[in-house]
Amino acid sequence: FHVTDQIGRKLTDPSLPGFIQRALLPFQRSGSPKFTTCLGNVVGPGGPDVSDCASLEFTVHDRPGLLSSITQVLVDQGCHVASGQAWTHNGRAAGVLYVTTTGADGAALHPSRWARIERLVNAVVDARENVSGERRWVCMSAPVRGRVHTERRMHQLMHDDRDYESGPAPTPVDEEHFCMGDRAATAARSVHRTQTRVTIENWEERGYAIVKMTSRDRPKLLFDTVCALTDMHYVVFHATAGAQGPLAIQEYYIRHKDGRTVDSNAERQKVSRCLVAAVERRASHVSQPPLAISFLSVRPSVFSLGAQC
């Protein structure tokens, strides 16, 4: 990886390579210092420690007041949210909330309480559903170590919820822009909002499916794309990724885990839709904006005010 800072400058801080190494090694994160980026953002290796927290996961139909109603159940049960994320896309909502007790003694809740909270959240979600047969899923799990990365888990939840099924079919890439040259950069600069485009072809001589993808460049784009391919059980053998101005260009040579390529038009459509959905879950658009929320340490005394607003 050839890395620049957030505004495209070379990295000159001598402490940064060590910071990146510590961030990539999960067993060497304790005591690691924070780092301030060129835009003033303070970051550090890993996220908050949620190993002692229970996990509330849900996928439901999106609607106003959804997050408030769910967190109000937690408030009423004497819990607070230590950390969490919530995403929306194509009318669907998914969230992962890490929950702990707010008791004065600081003791962990009994496992039977987790099952009760799950039933209550399910009841709240069911009571507000207006669509007959609307699918939903709620699961409360006890504290465990070695959890799946939260954003990785968010992609899994939304993929399992089939948020990629709605909307028009993805547009094929513009082959004139699919090159790492000045022409692509010039064309991309003239586009105020770059549409996500996907083309999938089979390279039968080598047994690969070639995925070509163009989209608006942004942080974590490569992570989101690879998560989508992994959720569909594809293996990436070769890849190229780069950016020209606001345009991100990605190319993947993939096979299914059992050695198959992308054999049918229906499968190609599904892969294309899944890749577009993975990119747009985190992105923001002017029309029908998806939502991505992260929050830390939401205590009952604080969040109950927000829930009433």
Side-chain angles (χ1 to χ4, degrees):
F1 295 88
H2 299 267
V3 182
T4 62
D5 66 17
Q6 291 168 292
I7 56 178
R9 300 182 306 189
K10 292 184 178 181
L11 306 180
T12 57
D13 190 328
S15 65
L16 186 55
F19 170 83
I20 294 175
Q21 286 180 320
R22 287 189 295 269
L24 295 174
L25 296 175
F27 300 108
Q28 298 184 14
R29 292 179 178 175
S30 59
S32 297
K34 300 292 183 180
F35 187 85
T36 303
T37 70
C38 66
L39 299 183
N41 300 320
V42 179
V43 297
D49 184 8
V50 294
S51 58
D52 295 330
C53 299
S55 173
L56 174 64
E57 301 177 346
F58 60 87
T59 54
V60 296
H61 175 71
D62 185 30
R63 62 179 182 277
L66 173 65
L67 194 58
S68 294
S69 61
I70 291 176
T71 51
Q72 188 61 54
V73 173
L74 302 176
V75 170
D76 294 341
Q77 293 301 306
C79 301
H80 80 271
V81 179
S83 176
Q85 290 209 13
W87 291 0
T88 68
H89 180 245
N90 279 346
R92 304 298 299 172
V96 177
L97 308 181
Y98 298 110
V99 181
T100 186
T101 180
T102 58
D105 56 359
L109 295 181
H110 191 273
S112 61
R113 291 286 300 279
W114 304 134
R116 171 178 170 78
I117 293 173
E118 180 181 317
R119 290 195 300 271
L120 291 173
V121 172
N122 240 320
V124 167
V125 171
D126 184 51
R128 291 177 176 263
E129 288 290 358
N130 298 319
V131 181
S132 177
E134 179 61 47
R135 64 183 184 274
R136 66 182 184 281
W137 181 81
V138 178
C139 180
M140 191 85 180
S141 58
V144 295
R145 291 195 173 273
R147 294 186 187 275
V148 176
H149 184 277
T150 304
E151 293 178 357
R152 175 76 187 93
R153 183 60 181 151
M154 292 296 297
H155 278 295
Q156 290 176 337
L157 291 175
M158 299 212 80
H159 181 268
D160 292 344
D161 191 57
R162 307 191 305 279
D163 70 315
Y164 54 84
E165 291 183 344
S166 301
T171 306
V173 300
D174 189 338
E175 292 292 343
E176 291 186 357
H177 294 172
F178 200 83
C179 62
M180 301 295 181
D182 293 337
R183 184 172 57 181
T186 302
R189 292 190 188 100
S190 65
V191 180
H192 180 68
R193 188 185 115 199
T194 305
Q195 180 185 12
T196 303
R197 298 168 176 258
V198 180
T199 295
I200 302 175
E201 303 170 347
N202 279 341
W203 189 7
E204 297 181 358
E205 294 81 0
R206 296 296 182 92
Y208 293 125
I210 305 175
V211 178
K212 297 181 179 181
M213 189 172 179
T214 59
S215 65
R216 179 174 61 87
D217 190 26
R218 60 167 176 78
K220 300 188 178 182
L221 177 63
L222 184 63
F223 173 86
D224 295 339
T225 306
V226 174
C227 281
L229 293 173
T230 303
D231 289 337
M232 291 181 285
H233 306 290
Y234 288 101
V235 179
V236 177
F237 287 85
H238 309 279
T240 302
Q244 295 289 347
L247 181 69
I249 301 173
Q250 301 178 76
E251 187 173 38
Y252 297 92
Y253 293 75
I254 64 173
R255 293 181 192 144
H256 202 273
K257 284 185 176 180
D258 60 8
R260 294 185 296 107
T261 59
V262 185
D263 298 328
S264 64
N265 287 330
E267 188 175 4
R268 276 189 283 273
Q269 281 290 320
K270 179 181 178 181
V271 173
S272 298
R273 287 179 178 273
C274 287
L275 288 171
V276 172
V279 170
E280 293 183 346
R281 287 168 193 153
R282 195 195 300 271
S284 296
H285 301 296
V286 175
S287 61
Q288 293 184 333
L291 173 69
I293 297 177
S294 301
F295 41 88
L296 301 175
S297 297
V298 182
R299 298 184 178 275
S301 59
V302 176
F303 199 87
S304 58
L305 296 176
Q308 296 170 7
C309 294

